[in-house]
Structure formats: structure tokens, C-alpha cells
Amino acid sequence: MTDAATTEAVGEASVPRFARGVKFRFDDTRKSWMVLAPERLFLPDEAATEILKLVDGQRSLGAIIDDLATRFDVSRDEMAGDVGGMLRDLAEKGVVLL
């Protein structure tokens, strides 16, 4: 199954949110964004940071994909694969709920 197909399987109407106890914030000391989870720390790259900034518990997966595809002038299918793959990976780690 491709990442785009996986995104559709999850459902673009789903609303991703951070799991309980997970924080996404900018660290002034490191001058970078980070995901703080119980006993774990993730330092997302620039692309992941742009995705995570849109995970607010209100915006649907489809809306996140549309926003990023428009902003970065990338095909929607390509963006769906990238966003879906990253969020699925974080969901498997218990960081994001889909």
C-alpha cells in the first residue's frame, strides 16, 4: 500500500492531534522545534515541523494536506503521501493520534 493510499485508509476527515503528555514547542536554547513525549524527545526536520505546526486537534488531515500542497506548490497526491507517511510513523510511536 502506498503512503497516499494509507492516508486515504486513515481518512482525510480524521483530525490528527498530539497524544496525551506530548508537547510540540520551540526550544529557545536549541533554536529549534521539538516534540517532547514521556521519556522521549524528537527533533523534527523542517518539513516535519511545517506539518506538525498544523496538527492542532481541529484541522482535518485533508485540510493539512491542502494547506501544505498549496503553500509549497506540490501536487496534492505527493503531499498526501508525505504527510500521511510521517503522521502514520508518529502514530505508531504513540506521539500522534489519527
Side-chain angles (χ1 to χ4, degrees), residues 54-76:
L54 298 177
V55 173
D56 58 9
Q58 297 177 6
R59 197 180 322 241
S60 71
L61 179 56
I64 291 171
I65 292 166
D66 289 340
D67 183 320
L68 293 168
T70 300
R71 195 167 4 140
F72 294 104
D73 194 27
V74 175
S75 78
R76 191 178 192 289

Side-chain angles (χ1 to χ4, degrees), residues 6-20 22 24 48 50-68 76 79-80 82-92 94-98:
T6 301
T7 300
E8 289 175 15
V10 169
E12 288 192 7
S14 68
V15 178
R17 66 186 188 282
F18 290 103
R20 185 174 179 199
V22 175
F24 177 61
E50 291 304 315
I51 295 168
L52 292 172
K53 284 179 180 178
L54 298 177
V55 173
D56 58 9
Q58 297 177 6
R59 197 180 322 241
S60 71
L61 179 56
I64 291 171
I65 292 166
D66 289 340
D67 183 320
L68 293 168
R76 191 178 192 289
M79 188 59 71
D82 292 346
V83 172
M86 192 204 85
L87 290 178
R88 185 181 71 250
D89 182 52
L90 288 176
E92 290 172 1
V95 174
V96 172
L97 304 174
L98 295 174

Side-chain angles (χ1 to χ4, degrees), residues 26-36 41-43:
F26 187 79
D27 180 55
D28 287 324
T29 303
R30 290 188 174 124
K31 303 293 185 220
S32 64
W33 286 90
M34 61 178 50
V35 177
L36 302 166
L41 170 73
F42 299 93
L43 297 173

